Amino acid sequence: MQDGILRGNPAVRRRAMAKAITLLESSRPDHREQADGLLTALLPHTGKAFRLGISGVPGVGKSTFIEALGLYLIGQGLKVAVLAIDPSSTVSGGSILGDKTRMEQLSMRLEAYIRPSPSSGTLGGVAEKTREAMLVCEAAGYDVVIVETVGVGQSEIAVHGMTDMFCVLQLPNAGDDLQAIKKGVMELADLVVINKADIDPNAATRAQAQITSSLRLLGMHGNPDHASTGALWQPRVLQISALLGQGVEGFWAAVSSFQDLQTRNGRLAQRREKQSLAWMWERIDFGLKQAFRQHPQVQALLPALQADVAAGRIAASTAARHLLSAQSSSA
Ligand code: GDP
């Protein structure tokens, strides 16, 4: 499988990638062991792709845009992988993002690899599998890995935490940007893209001005990644029409200048380092919590203590200390 990913012809590679990602997504312990071995073998071949996060509410035009962008990049001689984190799949098994008819033209190209969101598990688990799938794509020589998510909830933070650049797609109506600013998503954005500018160019221009000034305000006392000094990146706002394919080239020019700047000022490497360590700790926290919940002493004490905390008979912090010491005294 490893050979197929690293050295196969395009068709062999795609089959090997699909197999590898299926293995990574499996919850069987023996599969997990094999998957970890595979990841370790692939790791030296990863890291060369540009990792691009794209988010936006359902209907904003993400798949239309990603298809236009993907085809443009293939035209530039690049290979593109598209992965997704669909938060709806983790709750209901339903899907906002995942149907097969999306990106029809792009999916037919050998230079593209499209994989829908892992379809079950916690958001942390789905994000972990997507992050690992990204490494497989990189080892297989994809130049750009796009990770798409829906502009609702925690999945945006997860995608921001695994990509080099995070872009938010917006509709050209004034109410929307305020929503995003309230949710704190704008603070994550390196680039805001106003799509469907063809429908109402004036509204798009108004939205662009409004979001630009909001971002400037955020930059003054917001995300340190976006601090307004020296050779640091200033988030930008662009207008496009994904449907008409307008603005895709300008979008990629902005991405390229971000990539150049972040490489020169060292931020790209720093961001990846921070992401890897944060990821490791996130997974440790998750693993410890799971082991804690499965500990026999904890399981024995938990129902009564939970009932006591819920009924206000014992302080939450006292119950937590009881449970932690029950686990550590019999570890
Ligand atoms: P997603 O849910 O964010 O992936 O959105 P889609 O890409 O499925 O687009 C939703 C609808 O908006 C589709 O009917 C698209 O054809 C339409 N759409 C996408 N981009 C544009 C655009 O730039 N202009 C116009 N007029 N329609 C668009």
Side-chain angles (χ1 to χ4, degrees):
M1 203 185 306
Q2 178 187 335
D3 269 0
I5 292 169
L6 294 173
R7 281 177 278 279
N9 67 38
V12 170
R13 256 181 221 232
R14 288 218 304 192
R15 267 201 306 280
M17 285 166 72
K19 245 171 111 179
I21 295 173
T22 303
L23 182 69
L24 293 167
E25 289 179 358
S26 166
S27 52
R28 268 176 47 184
D30 57 325
H31 284 171
R32 189 61 249 179
E33 216 167 285
Q34 277 180 50
D36 282 335
L38 179 68
L39 279 179
T40 305
L42 294 180
L43 210 59
H45 307 278
T46 64
K48 289 188 211 84
F50 188 72
R51 304 165 179 174
L52 180 66
I54 292 185
S55 168
V57 296
V60 69
K62 291 179 296 302
S63 47
T64 311
F65 176 59
I66 293 170
E67 173 150 272
L69 176 65
L71 293 170
Y72 170 78
L73 294 175
I74 289 173
Q76 303 293 303
L78 299 172
K79 293 203 292 170
V80 186
V82 183
L83 307 173
I85 292 184
D86 186 343
S88 56
S89 67
T90 68
V91 183
S92 60
S95 164
I96 303 179
L97 287 174
D99 70 68
K100 292 243 159 63
T101 56
R102 299 164 79 243
M103 303 178 213
E104 245 170 84
Q105 291 182 56
L106 189 61
S107 62
M108 281 171 353
R109 300 295 299 257
L110 270 182
E111 304 92 327
Y113 179 80
I114 302 178
R115 178 96 184 173
S117 176
S119 58
S120 64
T122 60
L123 177 62
V126 166
E128 176 180 37
K129 291 176 191 336
T130 304
R131 202 171 209 280
E132 292 175 350
M134 180 161 81
L135 297 177
V136 172
C137 296
E138 292 188 355
Y142 284 77
D143 304 290
V144 180
V145 181
I146 296 173
V147 187
E148 174 190 9
T149 195
V150 177
V152 287
Q154 294 290 311
S155 62
E156 289 176 301
I157 294 173
V159 171
H160 177 264
M162 66 175 78
T163 49
D164 298 323
M165 183 176 200
F166 185 70
C167 302
V168 177
L169 255 64
Q170 287 276 311
L171 290 168
N173 82 40
D176 252 41
D177 48 311
L178 296 176
Q179 284 295 318
I181 286 163
K182 272 195 217 133
K183 280 195 309 174
V185 177
M186 283 297 177
E187 284 168 60
L188 302 178
D190 299 301
L191 194 62
V192 177
V193 180
I194 300 163
N195 188 32
K196 307 198 187 183
D198 57 291
I199 295 178
D200 186 347
N202 290 332
T205 302
R206 272 199 308 279
Q208 186 175 20
Q210 242 178 30
I211 298 172
T212 305
S213 66
S214 312
L215 286 176
R216 210 164 286 145
L217 274 175
L218 283 174
M220 289 197 287
H221 37 73
N223 189 338
D225 263 0
H226 297 154
S228 51
T229 46
L232 295 181
W233 176 256
Q234 301 291 325
R236 294 189 198 168
V237 186
L238 304 175
Q239 290 184 39
I240 61 160
S241 167
L243 192 66
L244 305 180
Q246 287 166 354
V248 174
E249 205 175 330
F251 171 86
W252 191 247
V255 171
S256 302
S257 55
F258 176 90
Q259 189 180 10
D260 284 350
L261 181 67
Q262 297 285 93
T263 305
R264 273 188 282 119
N265 68 15
R267 290 265 163 164
L268 191 87
Q270 266 174 29
R271 185 159 163 167
R272 286 188 174 185
E273 250 172 61
K274 259 203 265 179
Q275 288 173 339
S276 294
L277 290 174
W279 193 252
M280 183 185 82
W281 279 109
E282 201 274 337
R283 291 286 90 191
I284 290 174
D285 286 347
F286 178 79
L288 285 175
K289 209 166 176 181
Q290 225 179 13
F292 179 78
R293 283 177 182 277
Q294 283 162 3
H295 193 278
Q297 285 291 100
V298 171
Q299 280 187 341
L301 292 171
L302 196 60
L305 279 172
Q306 282 198 136
D308 285 345
V309 170
R313 286 188 292 271
I314 180 169
S317 54
T318 307
R321 268 192 295 276
H322 275 325
L323 288 164
L324 285 166
S325 63
Q327 185 232 11
S328 56
S329 62
S330 61

